[in-house]
Amino acid sequence: MKKKVVVIMGGISSEREVSLNSGKSVLEAIDRNKYDVHQLIIDEPMDVVNKMPQDIDFALIVLHGKYGEDGTIQSMLESMNIPYSGCDPLTSGICMDKNMSKKVLKSSNIPTAPWTIAKSLDSIDYDAIEKMGYPVFIKPNSGGSSVATFKVDRKEDVYEAVRQGLEVDDIVMIEGYLPGDEYTSFILNGEVFPTIKISSPNEFFDYESKYATGAKAATEEVVYLEENLQNEINLRSKECWDAFNCRAFVRVDFILSNGKFYVLELNTLPGMTKTSLIPRSANAKGISYSELIDKIIEYSL
């Protein structure tokens, strides 16, 4: 008998469109010979309860941002006794909260950039920013896809960047800038997959370069680093997996600055569009998109 699977997509965050694109890609790729597939588009929080099809065996969560990656929907699915893809509510919530995840990284001796936070325009710590030095990145604490993310080169521009960040989140992170190349590491069931290097035509890997096609798109290529660097990124990836008690799959984003890898963030529900990073990494190991979905389901159960 086919397993009855619901693909949950949409959501109420600023990344709704990304989620819809991810969900569409998953619906096109999932093996319908194995699964009885249903679609659930979330327009408001209680839709996961009110619109859930009957007798679901597994929920494939393809949501991004708040009420997706933050553990809320995972908790609701647990209360409904429906198995779901990815990390549990606690891990999801901590990884979604950049400030909390950096605290875990720091306590685990995993390198990450210096940072401070602002909960209001009055609470901006200009002294802490000066200590880090300009430029800095200013972004929502719980956002993703580089929405409302700014590289700020001078004190005069901090206020406006924080103001815009507070429009989409209650907390804004102000993070020290580390010059270098960006890499991402996909981990499936504790196994580190091939590393991907990200090169953006824009100043950083912003929303446009993440989801555009053609000349404005970022270049994302599988790379095989020299042995000591490859060993380091693999080690740091496994340390993150263990420190955050991850399950099934996760993506860890790094920057290589002055010969050392620093963790930028963990993504517990990474993008699954056709241009996303984890299908590309899996493909480098000979795993098709459809097979990747199979494995995510298998390792989540």
Side-chain angles (χ1 to χ4, degrees), residues 96-103 113-129 132 136-142 158 162 166 169-176:
M96 183 70 184
D97 186 318
K98 293 181 176 68
N99 183 44
M100 290 300 298
S101 63
K102 277 181 167 286
K103 289 180 178 181
W115 80 100
T116 185
I117 61 169
K119 295 183 178 180
S120 67
L121 291 170
D122 294 333
S123 70
I124 299 171
D125 189 340
Y126 289 100
D127 290 339
I129 300 171
M132 287 188 286
V136 292
F137 277 109
I138 297 180
K139 53 192 174 183
N141 184 57
S142 299
V158 168
V162 171
L166 288 170
D169 202 350
D170 295 332
I171 302 175
V172 168
M173 173 167 286
I174 303 164
E175 184 178 44

Side-chain angles (χ1 to χ4, degrees), residues 12-15 63-72 92-101 117-118 138-149 165-166 168-174 265-268:
I12 59 174
S13 79
S14 58
E15 298 174 82
L63 296 168
H64 305 307
K66 286 189 174 182
Y67 192 71
E69 295 178 82
D70 62 2
T72 305
S92 300
I94 291 172
C95 290
M96 183 70 184
D97 186 318
K98 293 181 176 68
N99 183 44
M100 290 300 298
S101 63
I117 61 169
I138 297 180
K139 53 192 174 183
N141 184 57
S142 299
S145 292
S146 299
V147 173
T149 295
L166 288 170
V168 296
D169 202 350
D170 295 332
I171 302 175
V172 168
M173 173 167 286
I174 303 164
E265 62 181 4
L266 281 76
N267 293 272
T268 55

Side-chain angles (χ1 to χ4, degrees), residues 213-239:
T213 57
K216 293 185 177 181
T219 300
E220 301 157 355
E221 58 180 344
V222 174
V223 293
Y224 298 93
L225 303 167
E226 56 184 85
E227 186 176 6
N228 64 320
L229 288 176
Q230 192 65 60
N231 288 341
E232 183 186 350
I233 195 171
N234 289 351
L235 172 64
R236 296 303 184 194
S237 298
K238 289 178 180 177
E239 287 176 342

Side-chain angles (χ1 to χ4, degrees), residues 198-201 205 208-212 214-220 280:
I198 303 163
S199 303
S200 172
F205 191 35
E208 180 182 59
S209 57
K210 282 181 179 179
Y211 302 110
K216 293 185 177 181
T219 300
E220 301 157 355
R280 198 181 300 256

Side-chain angles (χ1 to χ4, degrees), residues 155-300:
K155 181 178 180 179
E156 291 79 4
D157 296 329
V158 168
Y159 186 95
E160 178 59 20
V162 171
R163 187 194 68 76
Q164 291 191 45
L166 288 170
E167 287 184 351
V168 296
D169 202 350
D170 295 332
I171 302 175
V172 168
M173 173 167 286
I174 303 164
E175 184 178 44
Y177 171 69
L178 295 173
D181 296 321
E182 289 193 41
Y183 295 83
T184 198
S185 190
F186 170 47
I187 312 169
L188 181 66
N189 199 37
E191 179 184 356
V192 182
F193 272 53
T195 304
I196 291 180
K197 181 179 180 181
I198 303 163
S199 303
S200 172
N202 296 340
E203 194 169 16
F204 63 96
F205 191 35
D206 60 5
Y207 185 96
E208 180 182 59
S209 57
K210 282 181 179 179
Y211 302 110
T213 57
K216 293 185 177 181
T219 300
E220 301 157 355
E221 58 180 344
V222 174
V223 293
Y224 298 93
L225 303 167
E226 56 184 85
E227 186 176 6
N228 64 320
L229 288 176
Q230 192 65 60
N231 288 341
E232 183 186 350
I233 195 171
N234 289 351
L235 172 64
R236 296 303 184 194
S237 298
K238 289 178 180 177
E239 287 176 342
C240 287
W241 179 270
D242 292 336
F244 289 88
N245 193 31
C246 297
R247 184 184 73 169
F249 71 117
V250 71
R251 199 188 83 212
V252 186
D253 295 339
F254 294 88
I255 192 156
L256 178 60
S257 185
N258 297 317
K260 180 179 178 180
F261 280 107
Y262 295 82
V263 175
L264 297 174
E265 62 181 4
L266 281 76
N267 293 272
T268 55
L269 287 175
M272 291 288 286
T273 68
K274 291 177 181 178
T275 60
S276 292
L277 300 167
I278 69 168
R280 198 181 300 256
S281 178
N283 187 61
K285 284 200 69 167
I287 297 173
S288 71
Y289 196 167
S290 180
E291 290 170 329
L292 174 60
I293 295 169
D294 281 348
K295 290 182 180 295
I296 288 172
I297 294 172
E298 175 188 349
Y299 296 138
S300 296

